[in-house]
């Protein structure tokens, strides 16, 4: 907030250095010239009085010289008076400008106060947002940990599933092997039974022999298991 005040103060000082300081000695010079004018005027009156009393040529010369000096003084006085008038006008303008700048400074000061209040409100809001972000970051970290644990549990479950599937496939393969062996055994028994039936029908076609039939029946009952 102090930067703009320093800037305005520096601008006013620069303006004084540029516009007021060069004319600082004018009023002093004017006073001195007015004093000289009064002195010369008094001297001129005295000389004129003496010249009237004496009536000499020398007094006339002195009177002419003093009148010339008086005219010069009057010219300088008029010039200085005009300068003073101009400076007074400039001074009024500068005072009006100073009032304008002071009003602007007051307005900027009010704006600065408003901005300071807004900045304070924004800082409070920012603090709330930072607190919310911090809480959300903590929640996110907790969710990451939970996600990691879930991934590990899912990986373990998948591993157990694969192992279970592998065991189930092994059991099914063993069961299929047993079923294949059983089917092979059944097929061998069926082939053997067909052969026996065929042989029996052949024997019966050639003639019935109870002994052979009995021996054949015994051989069938005592057949080994393959």
């Amino acid at each position: 907030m102090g930067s703009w005040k320093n800037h305005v103060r520096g601008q006013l000082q620069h303006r004084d250095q540029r516009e007021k300081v060069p004319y600082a000695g004018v009023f002093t010079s004017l006073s001195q010239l007015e004093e000289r004018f009064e002195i010369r005027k008094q001297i001129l009156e005295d000389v004129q009085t003496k010249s009237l009393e004496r009536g000499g040529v020398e007094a006339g010369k002195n009177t002419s010289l003093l009148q010339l000096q008086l005219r010069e003084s009057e010219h300088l006085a008029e010039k200085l008076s005009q300068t003073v008038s101009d400076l007074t006008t400039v001074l009024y303008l500068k005072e009006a400008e100073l009032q304008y700048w002071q009003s602007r400074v007051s307005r900027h000061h009010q704006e600065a106060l408003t901005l300071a209040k807004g900045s304070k409100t924004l800082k409070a809001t920012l603090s709330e947002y930072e607190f919310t972000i911090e809480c959300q970051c903590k929640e996110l970290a907790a969710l990451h940990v939970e996600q990691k644990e879930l991934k590990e549990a899912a990986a373990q479950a998948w591993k157990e599933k694969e192992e279970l599937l592998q065991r189930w496939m092994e059991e099914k393969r063993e069961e299929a092997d047993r079923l294949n062996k059983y089917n092979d055994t059944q097929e061998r028994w069926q082939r053997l039974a067909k052969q026996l039936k065929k042989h029996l029908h052949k024997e019966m076609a050639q003639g019935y022999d109870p002994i052979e039939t009995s021996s054949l029946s015994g051989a069938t009952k005592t057949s080994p298991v393959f």
Side-chain angles (χ1 to χ4, degrees), residues 62-185:
N62 292 331
T63 301
S64 299
L65 180 60
L66 290 174
Q67 286 178 351
L68 179 61
Q69 292 177 351
L70 179 61
R71 288 176 182 175
E72 292 177 354
S73 299
E74 289 176 351
H75 178 70
L76 291 174
E78 290 178 358
K79 198 172 181 180
L80 288 174
S81 178
Q82 184 63 36
T83 304
V84 170
S85 178
D86 295 340
L87 289 175
T88 303
T89 303
V90 172
L91 181 61
Y92 287 152
L93 292 175
K94 296 305 177 183
E95 287 179 353
E97 185 181 357
L98 179 61
Q99 291 179 358
Y100 168 74
W101 282 110
Q102 286 177 347
S103 65
R104 288 194 63 181
V105 167
S106 178
R107 186 171 69 253
H108 288 310
H109 179 67
Q110 188 64 32
E111 291 177 356
L113 291 176
T114 304
L115 290 174
K117 292 180 181 179
S119 176
K120 185 177 180 180
T121 304
L122 289 175
K123 285 182 180 179
T125 306
L126 180 61
S127 298
E128 293 178 358
Y129 285 151
E130 288 178 349
F131 177 74
T132 304
I133 291 173
E134 183 178 359
C135 293
Q136 291 179 351
C137 288
K138 291 180 179 179
E139 293 177 359
L140 182 62
L143 290 174
H144 283 164
V145 173
E146 185 177 358
Q147 183 184 15
K148 183 178 179 181
E149 293 176 352
L150 289 174
K151 284 183 177 180
E152 292 177 354
Q156 183 64 28
W158 181 264
K159 182 179 179 181
E160 292 176 357
K161 175 189 173 184
E162 291 293 329
E163 292 177 353
L164 181 61
L165 181 61
Q166 189 68 25
R167 288 198 300 271
W168 180 79
M169 291 178 68
E170 289 292 335
E171 291 177 357
K172 290 299 180 181
R173 189 179 296 109
E174 292 176 357
E175 183 178 354
D177 292 339
R178 288 195 300 271
L179 183 59
N180 291 331
K181 289 180 181 179
Y182 174 77
N183 291 332
D184 292 340
T185 304

Side-chain angles (χ1 to χ4, degrees), residues 200-218:
L200 178 60
H201 287 304
K202 185 177 180 181
E203 291 293 333
M204 289 178 65
Q206 293 177 358
Y208 179 74
D209 189 351
I211 298 173
E212 291 180 0
T213 303
S214 299
S215 62
L216 182 59
S217 300

